[in-house]
């Protein structure tokens, strides 16, 4: 699993846990629909720190809180 896949997985998990729609996340984070769609479908191969921060903030989390999931353990990720 790539880091981008892990970010998408974590976003989807948080959307479900917090009962937030993708549309609402896009509005809170100010990330355009197309960009969010590319992140969530794995078409986006990179994610900027600004986008990462906006997503975490939209969930009312720090980046550290966002990454506090076993999906981000190094043995789960392909690091190029």
């Amino acid at each position: 699993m790539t880091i981008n896949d892990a970010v998408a997985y974590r976003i989807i998990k948080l959307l479900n846990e917090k009962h937030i729609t993708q549309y609402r996340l896009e509005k809170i984070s100010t990330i355009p629909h197309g960009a969010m769609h590319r992140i969530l479908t794995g078409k986006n191969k990179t994610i900027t720190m600004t986008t990462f921060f906006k997503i975490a903030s939209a969930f009312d989390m720090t980046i550290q809180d966002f990454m506090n999931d076993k999906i981000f353990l190094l043995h789960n990720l392909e690091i190029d």
Side-chain angles (χ1 to χ4, degrees):
M1 173 176 291
T2 67
I3 292 172
N4 294 319
D5 293 337
V7 170
Y9 170 87
R10 181 71 166 141
I11 291 169
I12 292 166
K13 183 177 176 183
L14 288 167
L15 288 172
N16 290 324
E17 286 176 5
K18 296 182 178 279
H19 306 290
I20 298 173
T21 64
Q22 179 182 332
Y23 176 80
R24 183 74 182 136
L25 177 62
E26 292 164 359
K27 292 301 175 191
I28 295 168
S29 67
T30 69
I31 296 171
H33 174 73
M36 185 66 72
H37 178 74
R38 286 188 301 277
I39 292 168
L40 294 177
T41 59
K43 292 179 181 167
N44 192 19
K45 300 302 177 197
T46 61
I47 185 169
T48 66
M49 286 303 294
T50 301
T51 300
F52 197 37
F53 181 79
K54 285 179 176 183
I55 292 167
S57 294
F59 284 117
D60 198 25
M61 306 173 111
T62 64
I63 290 174
Q64 294 85 351
D65 293 333
F66 183 90
M67 294 188 68
N68 187 19
D69 189 279
K70 65 183 177 182
I71 196 73
F72 291 106
L73 294 175
L74 288 178
H75 67 271
N76 290 334
L77 298 175
E78 299 169 15
I79 307 229
D80 295 333

